[in-house]
Amino acid sequence: MKGIVFTEFLDMVENQFGLETVDEIIEASDLPSEGIYTSVGTYEFNEMVALLQSLNKKVNISVDDLLHSFGHYLFISLGKAHPEVIQSYTSPIGLLYSIEDHIHVHVKKLYPDAELPTFKILEKTETSISMVYSSSRGLYRLAHGLIEKCFEHFDATSKITFELLKEDGSEVKFDIVQNGQ
Ligand code: HEM
């Protein structure tokens, strides 16, 4: 997993719970990297799992809910770090439609060793999109948060439902409908 995901995660934890909590979860997680990340480095996905579990124990918020709110935070962070990747889009559905074929393709050029999910589009209209998230990492609640923030970015809101196609969350169908103005 790319370092930018770790640095942004620890920034979110610092903003929401304070620097002491950052130190405590790093200490409790027994990390090969010792909690030292650079945005372009690459680290074991297990380190993120360990940090999420330590934070869950410390603040008593479920890992699912932590991932969901991290999705909100991460959309803003990625947009700031790489404005050129999202600035050509004029609608949230247009942006979501392009994750697989444009956005993450561009990300792969920026970070050749990025491990990205796939999004298979099942249906798309002007105001709705259905797609299947697939990733062995099962971070569909992170995807959920990213999608919500994507609508906010365009001053829009949406109704998002999801259905686990595989119990471990490695395949999840999202049905997304943009709310009327
Ligand atoms: C990773 C979804 C937009 C850059 C991920 C992951 C998810 C995701 C769920 C976690 C990895 C996994 O699940 O296997 C989305 C969604 C987006 C979006 C739903 C739009 C709403 C973007 C944008 C950028 C970006 C705009 C860059 C400007 C990345 C990077 C990673 C990532 C750098 C980390 C890869 C790694 O750790 O190796 N994305 N993404 N994504 N995405 Fe996206």
Side-chain angles (χ1 to χ4, degrees):
M1 175 165 264
K2 290 311 300 178
I4 189 170
V5 183
F6 288 90
T7 56
E8 294 310 319
F9 178 73
L10 293 178
D11 274 358
M12 179 191 77
V13 175
E14 183 179 344
N15 288 344
Q16 276 186 22
F17 306 107
L19 195 52
E20 214 170 284
T21 302
V22 174
D23 290 340
E24 278 179 41
I25 63 167
I26 288 174
E27 187 77 18
S29 301
D30 197 17
L31 305 164
S33 74
E34 298 180 355
I36 301 161
Y37 303 107
T38 66
S39 61
V40 293
T42 303
Y43 307 88
E44 282 173 34
F45 173 57
N46 278 345
E47 292 208 11
M48 181 53 70
V49 176
L51 285 166
L52 282 161
Q53 285 169 350
S54 300
L55 186 60
N56 156 251
K57 274 194 202 127
K58 164 85 186 148
V59 300
N60 212 15
I61 299 173
S62 69
V63 167
D64 278 354
D65 287 350
L66 290 169
L67 276 172
H68 181 222
S69 39
F70 179 43
H72 295 156
Y73 195 89
L74 189 62
F75 186 86
I76 304 287
S77 308
L78 291 170
K80 279 191 190 147
H82 303 291
E84 75 287 0
V85 180
I86 57 169
Q87 69 198 4
S88 59
Y89 298 100
T90 54
S91 76
I93 304 273
L95 190 153
L96 296 175
Y97 184 66
S98 303
I99 301 172
E100 176 76 9
D101 288 344
H102 295 282
I103 295 179
H104 278 171
V105 172
H106 194 102
V107 169
K108 198 77 184 167
K109 287 184 191 151
L110 293 168
Y111 306 104
D113 54 355
E115 295 182 309
L116 296 161
T118 62
F119 287 94
K120 184 170 178 251
I121 311 291
L122 302 179
E123 248 182 80
K124 177 192 173 285
T125 69
E126 285 282 293
T127 54
S128 72
I129 188 162
S130 296
M131 55 190 198
V132 175
Y133 161 92
S134 308
S135 163
S136 59
R137 289 166 291 284
L139 296 172
Y140 63 96
R141 292 306 306 266
L142 181 73
H144 185 199
L146 285 160
I147 294 166
E148 266 173 2
K149 205 64 181 181
C150 171
F151 280 88
E152 222 178 277
H153 173 77
F154 292 98
D155 290 323
T157 56
S158 58
K159 185 171 171 288
I160 303 169
T161 51
F162 59 83
E163 181 195 339
L164 270 66
L165 303 181
K166 287 199 178 146
E167 220 172 302
D168 62 0
S170 62
E171 261 187 51
V172 178
K173 179 172 177 268
F174 281 93
D175 291 302
I176 302 158
V177 181
Q178 181 162 355
N179 292 328
Q181 313 298 321

